[in-house]
Amino acid sequence: MAEPRWRVVSLETRDAYLNMAIDEAVSERVAAGEAPPTLRFYRWQPSAVSIGYFQSLEEEVDLEECRAADVDHVRRRTGGGAVYHDHDGELTYSVIAPEELYPDDLTESYRVICGRVIDAFDRLGVDAEFAPINDVVVDGRKVSGNAQTRRKDVLLQHGTVLHGVDPEEMFTYLRPDVDKVSDKLVEDVRERVTSVEDLVGVDVEDTYEALRGAFTSGRDTVEGSLTDREVERAEELADERYRSEDWNRMK
Amino acid sequence: MGEASRKVEGGKMVKVEVVDGDVEVTGDFFMHPEQAVESVEDVVAERLDSDARDLEDAVAHYLESEDVEMLGVAPRDIAELAVEARDG
């Protein structure tokens, strides 16, 4: 398939439920052949925890701490692990496109899309690399987690870029694999995770511009917005699925 | 009846829980389509008396016959964890 013209939906800020619902609503339109391949960039407000499709909400998230701090929780329709989407410390991208634009092999398609994330880090002067299956790391420390699904011949991959990360805050909301967060655990997490801010001290706008530049590079793109139909469908999906405790507590 | 979990090769966490003959598989792995996990759980639950090798074959057969892709976890992990959970 010839490289098509991509729609770019510039950085926007929404709540967890709409962010997930928009990814699904756009996927439906791309599957129907009514929307072009789409790149989205977004932040989360309120801050939120997203969990992978196969994860247990209760096991992964400290719901009491989330409630106390007005941090939302949502189950994604992609697999992978739990992520803390700090409004001030994280950016998310989505790629929503016909599957045929990407390798059939899942790991290879992660490698291709994560290559754009690596290019974003390169633009910021950071030497990052792909860590299969779905991470991007700098010196072995995670700076980006990514998750993909494919339905009705459409690939959706969304991923997080850690701009600034506070492990202690992160592990207030995420339940680690041990009984409680000890000082040692936070130190260990510091060793496993890093962020753009820690590495090069640029602000979030610079990180966004690098990410956007990397994802649009060499592509025919057009600045676009969501259609009314996509927004209406997203609101419906947010209410029916992503805000529903049946969905969020499915496991 | 109980639960068993492990960090599998590649770093993903997988847990299998067996309660009253029902099986639940959780973790940070990937499976396409995602809803197929319920069928994988049923495949294991229907053969809970089997050994790990038979469970592994049954899960692998299901994945292949239904064109389900699993990434980050193997049929063997699910089978071995199910046996461990069953016997736990």
Side-chain angles (χ1 to χ4, degrees):
Chain A
M1 183 179 181
E3 181 74 19
R5 173 169 284 189
W6 290 69
R7 170 176 56 166
V8 181
V9 180
S10 294
L11 188 64
E12 54 183 15
T13 302
R14 299 183 190 259
D15 70 25
Y17 316 109
L18 270 171
N19 274 334
M20 293 298 90
I22 289 169
D23 278 353
E24 183 166 354
V26 172
S27 298
E28 287 179 355
R29 289 302 95 210
V30 173
E34 292 171 9
T38 299
L39 298 168
R40 285 186 69 210
F41 301 95
Y42 52 96
R43 299 171 80 176
W44 306 55
Q45 193 168 46
S47 296
V49 173
S50 75
I51 60 168
Y53 183 92
F54 307 103
Q55 292 190 299
S56 157
L57 179 68
E58 296 278 353
E59 285 182 17
E60 300 297 332
V61 184
D62 190 326
L63 293 169
E64 221 167 280
E65 290 287 353
C66 286
R67 257 191 299 273
D70 290 326
V71 168
D72 288 340
H73 60 267
V74 69
R75 181 180 300 279
R76 301 189 305 268
R77 69 184 190 112
T78 50
V83 177
Y84 174 51
H85 303 273
D86 180 359
H87 172 259
D88 299 316
E90 186 264 346
L91 294 171
T92 306
Y93 74 83
S94 293
V95 173
I96 305 161
E99 253 189 292
E100 62 191 345
L101 293 177
Y102 289 95
D104 283 342
D105 182 81
L106 293 174
T107 304
E108 279 311 301
S109 62
Y110 274 113
R111 188 185 299 278
V112 167
I113 299 174
C114 290
R116 299 270 178 174
V117 178
I118 291 165
D119 180 29
F121 282 100
D122 191 46
R123 287 163 186 252
L124 293 164
V126 175
D127 190 15
E129 59 184 330
F130 179 52
I133 300 169
N134 57 317
D135 290 335
V136 173
V137 300
V138 174
D139 291 333
R141 300 161 84 193
K142 182 169 170 176
V143 285
S144 168
N146 304 273
Q148 186 185 127
T149 186
R150 299 181 184 208
R151 292 188 199 181
K152 296 183 180 168
D153 301 325
V154 171
L155 175 153
L156 159 67
Q157 181 168 315
H158 38 211
T160 178
V161 171
L162 299 177
H163 170 74
V165 60
D166 178 349
E168 291 193 40
E169 186 182 340
M170 182 184 287
F171 281 89
T172 303
Y173 308 119
L174 301 182
R175 288 187 195 278
D177 299 336
V178 293
D179 289 336
K180 60 179 183 179
V181 177
S182 64
D183 288 346
K184 184 173 184 310
L185 175 73
V186 173
E187 282 171 21
D188 288 347
V189 170
R190 277 189 204 284
E191 285 169 16
R192 295 205 314 260
V193 176
T194 189
S195 65
V196 176
E197 208 173 45
D198 285 346
L199 291 163
V200 283
V202 297
D203 59 30
V204 72
E205 285 75 20
D206 296 326
T207 303
Y208 167 59
E209 288 305 327
L211 191 63
R212 182 191 168 101
F215 270 93
T216 54
S217 174
R219 282 179 165 148
D220 183 9
T221 60
V222 59
E223 181 70 29
S225 54
L226 302 169
T227 64
D228 289 346
R229 183 171 181 179
E230 285 168 332
V231 172
E232 280 165 26
R233 176 62 177 151
E235 282 167 355
E236 199 175 271
L237 286 165
D239 285 341
E240 288 174 4
R241 176 173 306 160
Y242 295 103
R243 286 192 179 91
S244 125
E245 287 302 281
D246 282 351
W247 168 260
N248 288 319
R249 292 178 185 272
M250 181 174 72
K251 282 184 175 288
Chain B
M1 301 292 165
E3 61 182 52
S5 61
R6 70 167 63 149
K7 194 167 205 166
V8 303
E9 197 183 327
K12 298 298 179 194
M13 283 298 301
V14 184
K15 178 173 157 185
V16 176
E17 240 178 314
V18 176
V19 179
D20 297 331
D22 283 336
V23 171
E24 185 164 53
V25 182
T26 54
D28 58 355
F29 54 90
F30 296 93
M31 188 184 297
H32 302 163
E34 285 77 6
Q35 296 91 327
V37 73
E38 289 177 23
S39 300
V40 169
E41 291 167 344
D42 289 344
V43 164
V44 175
E46 285 159 13
R47 295 165 181 79
L48 260 185
D49 291 337
S50 307
D51 61 20
R53 183 64 192 268
D54 287 345
L55 283 178
E56 179 187 344
D57 287 348
V59 171
H61 179 260
Y62 167 77
L63 298 177
E64 197 179 335
S65 62
E66 296 299 319
D67 201 19
V68 174
E69 283 187 276
M70 219 162 56
L71 194 63
V73 61
R76 175 175 291 188
D77 298 313
I78 292 173
E80 289 177 354
L81 288 169
V83 168
E84 208 180 307
R86 177 196 70 193
D87 297 342

